[in-house]
Every structure is written in structure tokens, then in C-alpha cells.
Amino acid sequence: MSLGVVLQVRDGVLQVLLWQRARAPFEGSWSLPGGYLVPDETLETSIRRHLADKVDVRELSHLEQLETLSDPQRSPQEWQLATAYLGLVPSELDPRVPSDTDWHPVDGLPALAFDHEAIVLAGRERLRAKLSYTNLGFALAPAEFTISELRDLYAAALGHDVSATNLQRVLLRRRVLEGTGRLRPPGPAGGRPGALFRFRKQTLEITDQFAVLRPPGPARVPVA
Amino acid sequence: MSLGVVLQVRDGVLQVLLWQRARAPFEGSWSLPGGYLVPDETLETSIRRHLADKVDVRELSHLEQLETLSDPQRSPQEWQLATAYLGLVPSELDPRVPSDTDWHPVDGLPALAFDHEAIVLAGRERLRAKLSYTNLGFALAPAEFTISELRDLYAAALGHDVSATNLQRVLLRRRVLEGTGRLRPPGPAGGRPGALFRFRKQTLEITDQFAVLRPPGPARVPVA
DNA sequence: AGAGTTTTCGCCCCATAGTCGTAAACCTTA
DNA sequence: TAAGGTTTACGACTATGGGGCGAAAACTCT
């Protein structure tokens, strides 16, 4: 079967989409959305199909495979293999979810069915790691944003403060962000209008090249 | 079913363990070792069991899950899910392998059965990436080694030259390596004896902390 | 006009990577 | 024993890029 860890930053907090089980085992407790495969179906197709009831597929800005769980004890009744996926939803969207489904802060989860808590935490770790060496932030952020807004998104996803100055310089240097010409008008409290940025690419790319593994030679990427 | 991409640096070249199929489909062509699960078996147990015929399990210095393949077209006959694992063997070992099994350089593979070529390349990419931001090198290297030997290992696995000076400084600073007191006597051509090093840990650890995701504050890890 | 807010940007420090050149330690051969 | 060749070790220098700070800019409101 396939399971989905769907994450979104809501109200400044990283949250996960959970579904309340209607049947035993673990009747009534919260669990990850997902379900069985049908014949000749890709795992990715399967999780997209199961998620379609919960979130509009077009609202998923990113979907990648996490891992496949196979512990014989993970389900109390039958031996069940499950492949977990990580899905991300941009923070400006508010998908309509069914009544048995709701968002829960990843810090402070209720008791989850099966091994789903560990899967959620694995998804959060994957997100945190990739935020640093890829452009995965595009999947959390709206189409346009100020640096302050992006800093709050990163802080929520990473779980600690982020320096806005640094974030801007680093992401610009890595050519992850680019400025639109536009400005965001200040709020009722006033303040200087913030410049609006966007991610250059909407697909996953590795932005960090490491020291020892970088091919030698004086040729360096031009700053352009 | 489970599949294993078992990599080792042999003769200064990154090689993968392949098995020649005895039955259709793809009879006679090379493929990854692996096979079906038995009930109540973990995927990791399964791949270890299937690999036991090829390589002594104790010779595997590292084993981690790569991904689960589910394309309905990946097997010409039946719909088949397969979970691929990446296994590593230290370069000083030379496992006895059956006659239908042999090592092949990852650069210059023969035509492989199913989608196995893509899986091998995915395994190589995982190795290359993790060599840079983890201590995964421990799984390729012998118990003790000189910096030159380690440099050759890294160069083979990464596919490009590596500076020995840099490699030593970086891995020492990250506290990935530590010096044993010993020296390796020079070869017949002479030369200064090389100092012997070892990896501090034999389990996977992340050694690189990234800029923007690093928690703020002046506190830095003491150089000790 | 002045006070309060928020964003922007320049400046400086420092940690670490990359390169190079020289010294050290060993072999073989004359 | 001296000289030349080979390999490793290590210091010096440079470049890059992150981290932090503070001042300036651009607003709103009173």
C-alpha cells in the first residue's frame, strides 16, 4: 500500500494532513492517508489517487518517495508493506479537506496508528535536509514572497530561527531566488515595502556542491 | 521482491556485483542479485538472505534502502514491485562469488535486464552524494589506510580527481578521520612512509552542517 | 514634522576550502 | 657514501562564502 506524509506550513507552523480511521484496527485514531494499490498501478499513481479525496492533486507542489516499510509487526493483523511518500503544499493554499481529515502540527502530534508517527518524523527530516542543499523551498512558498515571509516559512519548517539577511544572500548567490521587480505594500503598521522574490525553478534541483567531491580545476561558475 | 546494488572499488574502479540470469525473461543477460520475499520477512532481511549466496553478509559494510520501483512495464511478464538496496563492500575484501556472478565496472556496464541499469546508476549517485556530506567513506575503505589510498578510493567512487591535501584536511577537521600512530612502509619504489588513518565511526553519520539551516548563535563546535 | 515599523544593504570578521611549493623520509644505483 | 628518483607531509597563501551587526531607506500613523 501507499502512504502520504503531506506537509504544509499553516499559521506559521509545520503541519501534516491526518485522517481519522473509521475501522479497526486503531479505529478512531489518527493516521496517514493512503491505501491499497490496484493492479498495474504505479506507487506514485496510487498515492496520488488516494490523496485525491483529501487534497486536490494540483495543489501538491512536490511529491517524492520516502521509504518502504516492511516490519512484520508494523500492522497488528496482517503483514503489510507500505511505501511512504512526502508531499508538500504551498503555504498560500487552503485545500478543502473532508470532515474526517485535518491538519495537525508536526510538533505535538496525537497518538498515531501503526508506525505512522515515525513516518511523519522521517518526512520532516527529509524536508529539513533538502531545504538546505536543494531548492525545495519552492514547494513550501507561494509564487511570490518577501524575504521576511520566506524566512518565516524556513523557520517553521526547520524548527529554529533563520537570519533573513543570510537567507537572502545565500539563496541569491546560489541562484535559487530571483527578484521580480515588484514590491509588497506595507501592512497597517507601516514599514518599508518588501521586495518580492520568486524561486527560479519549480522542480527539484541540487544547489550545493561539496568540497571534496567537486571536480578540480580553476573553472568556477561565473557570478554573472 | 528485493534487489541489491552491491558496490566495491576494485582495481581502482567502482564496480557492481551482477548475476547472469539462468531463466527467461532476459535469459543470459546480467542483472542485479535479489529475489522474492518470504512471509513475515523484512525487506532488509530479504535482500541479506538473497545476497548471502553471492557475498558473505559479514562483508557488507553498509546497507541502505534506495527506492521502490513500481512501473507496470518494468517487467515484461508480470507486474512486479521491487525495492532496491545499496550495499557496500570495503575495498580490501575479495568475496568468493559463484561462477554465475561477477563484478562489472559501473562505467561500462553490459546490457542489463529489466530496469536494472537505472537502478545501478541511482545507487552510484546515492553513494557519490553521501560521500560528500557523511562519513560513508568508512564503508569503502579498509580498516587502516594512508591518505593516498583514501584519495584513490574517493577518486574511483566519485569519478574525478581528488586533492589529497584537501581530503586530509577536510576529513580531519570534520572529525571523520583520526590518525593511528602507525606508518605504512614504503613500496619498492621508495618514498616517504605514509601515516595510517582510520574512520572514527563505522556507522553512518552526517558530518556537514549547512549554512541557512544551522541554528543561530555564536556557539560553535570546539576544535578540541 | 516626528515617532514607530519594517525592510534593505553595506561592512567586517572568520571559518573553511583550494592551490602550490617545499621539506621530509625512503628507495635504488653509481 | 653520495646522488637521483619517488612518495608523503605540511606549511603558506588565496579565495569564497557564511554570520552578525548596525545604519540607512521607505513606509504609516499621529
Side-chain angles (χ1 to χ4, degrees):
Chain A
M1 61 188 306
S2 56
L3 294 173
V5 180
V6 179
L7 298 178
Q8 184 188 25
V9 176
R10 302 174 65 85
D11 306 324
V13 175
L14 188 67
Q15 309 210 21
V16 60
L17 192 66
L18 295 180
W19 171 74
Q20 199 160 21
R21 288 182 59 83
R23 291 184 300 191
F26 295 103
E27 179 178 345
S29 65
W30 294 93
S31 70
L32 291 172
Y36 294 103
L37 276 75
V38 298
D40 283 343
E41 181 184 45
T42 295
L43 279 167
E44 184 174 323
T45 309
S46 165
I47 187 60
R48 283 189 187 276
R49 180 170 56 78
H50 285 290
L51 285 179
D53 302 332
K54 315 292 181 184
V55 194
D56 190 328
V57 174
R58 291 164 301 185
E59 299 175 316
L60 274 185
S61 51
H62 181 72
L63 186 65
E64 71 176 51
Q65 197 182 103
L66 270 177
E67 60 174 334
T68 299
L69 290 302
S70 61
D71 187 339
Q73 315 297 333
R74 61 178 297 275
S75 172
Q77 296 182 335
E78 46 175 356
W79 183 44
Q80 214 171 56
L81 292 183
T83 300
Y85 275 78
L86 170 65
L88 298 177
V89 176
S91 67
E92 87 271 24
L93 300 182
D94 188 18
R96 288 193 306 113
V97 297
S99 60
D100 58 358
T101 306
D102 208 352
W103 297 93
H104 293 259
V106 174
D107 296 315
L109 289 173
L112 296 195
F114 307 101
D115 49 4
H116 290 191
E117 177 174 353
I119 302 176
V120 171
L121 297 183
R124 181 181 65 176
E125 283 319 299
R126 175 76 64 95
L127 170 63
R128 288 184 176 175
K130 285 207 166 182
L131 274 182
S132 61
Y133 65 93
T134 71
N135 63 344
L136 189 53
F138 79 85
L140 292 179
E144 294 191 346
F145 45 84
T146 67
I147 292 296
S148 305
E149 293 162 2
L150 188 65
R151 168 175 55 84
D152 293 340
L153 277 182
Y154 270 72
L158 293 174
H160 63 73
D161 282 356
V162 172
S163 150
T165 302
N166 228 13
L167 186 70
Q168 171 172 8
R169 247 185 320 118
V170 169
L171 294 187
L172 276 181
R173 184 191 305 265
R174 292 182 185 171
R175 313 213 49 181
V176 170
L177 297 186
E178 66 184 2
T180 79
R182 284 187 288 281
L183 299 177
R184 154 111 54 231
R192 177 172 175 168
L196 287 171
F197 293 83
R198 64 168 157 259
F199 279 87
R200 287 187 64 237
K201 306 272 185 170
Q202 295 288 315
T203 55
L204 189 62
E205 290 191 338
I206 296 181
T207 66
D208 233 75
Q209 286 295 34
F210 288 91
V212 194
L213 73 45
R214 183 157 37 204
R220 200 61 63 90
V221 182
V223 188
Chain B
M1 60 186 307
S2 56
L3 294 173
V5 180
V6 179
L7 299 178
Q8 184 189 25
V9 176
R10 302 174 65 85
D11 306 324
V13 175
L14 188 67
Q15 308 209 21
V16 59
L17 192 67
L18 294 180
W19 172 75
Q20 200 160 22
R21 287 181 60 83
R23 291 185 298 192
F26 296 103
E27 178 178 346
S29 64
W30 295 93
S31 69
L32 291 173
Y36 294 102
L37 276 75
V38 298
D40 283 343
E41 182 183 44
T42 295
L43 279 167
E44 184 175 323
T45 308
S46 165
I47 188 60
R48 285 189 186 274
R49 180 170 55 79
H50 285 290
L51 285 179
D53 303 331
K54 314 293 182 185
V55 194
D56 191 329
V57 174
R58 291 164 301 185
E59 299 175 315
L60 274 185
S61 50
H62 180 73
L63 186 65
E64 71 176 52
Q65 197 182 104
L66 270 177
E67 59 173 335
T68 299
L69 289 302
S70 61
D71 188 338
Q73 316 295 333
R74 61 179 297 273
S75 173
Q77 296 182 335
E78 46 176 354
W79 184 45
Q80 213 171 55
L81 293 184
T83 299
Y85 275 78
L86 170 66
L88 298 176
V89 176
S91 67
E92 87 271 25
L93 300 182
D94 188 17
R96 290 194 304 115
V97 297
S99 59
D100 58 358
T101 306
D102 208 352
W103 297 92
H104 293 259
V106 173
D107 295 315
L109 289 173
L112 297 194
F114 306 101
D115 49 3
H116 290 191
E117 178 174 353
I119 301 178
V120 171
L121 297 184
R124 182 180 65 175
E125 283 318 300
R126 174 76 63 96
L127 170 64
R128 287 184 176 175
K130 284 208 166 181
L131 274 182
S132 61
Y133 65 93
T134 71
N135 62 343
L136 189 53
F138 79 85
L140 293 179
E144 293 191 347
F145 45 84
T146 67
I147 291 296
S148 305
E149 293 163 2
L150 188 66
R151 167 174 55 84
D152 293 340
L153 277 182
Y154 269 73
L158 293 174
H160 62 73
D161 283 356
V162 173
S163 151
T165 302
N166 226 16
L167 187 69
Q168 172 172 4
R169 245 188 320 113
V170 169
L171 293 188
L172 276 181
R173 181 186 307 265
R174 292 182 185 171
R175 314 216 48 182
V176 170
L177 297 185
E178 66 184 2
T180 79
R182 283 188 288 282
L183 299 177
R184 153 112 52 229
R192 176 171 174 168
L196 287 172
F197 292 83
R198 70 170 90 93
F199 279 87
R200 273 174 34 90
K201 305 271 186 169
Q202 296 288 315
T203 54
L204 188 63
E205 290 192 339
I206 296 180
T207 66
D208 232 78
Q209 286 296 35
F210 288 89
V212 194
L213 72 47
R214 183 158 36 203
R220 199 64 62 92
V221 182
V223 187

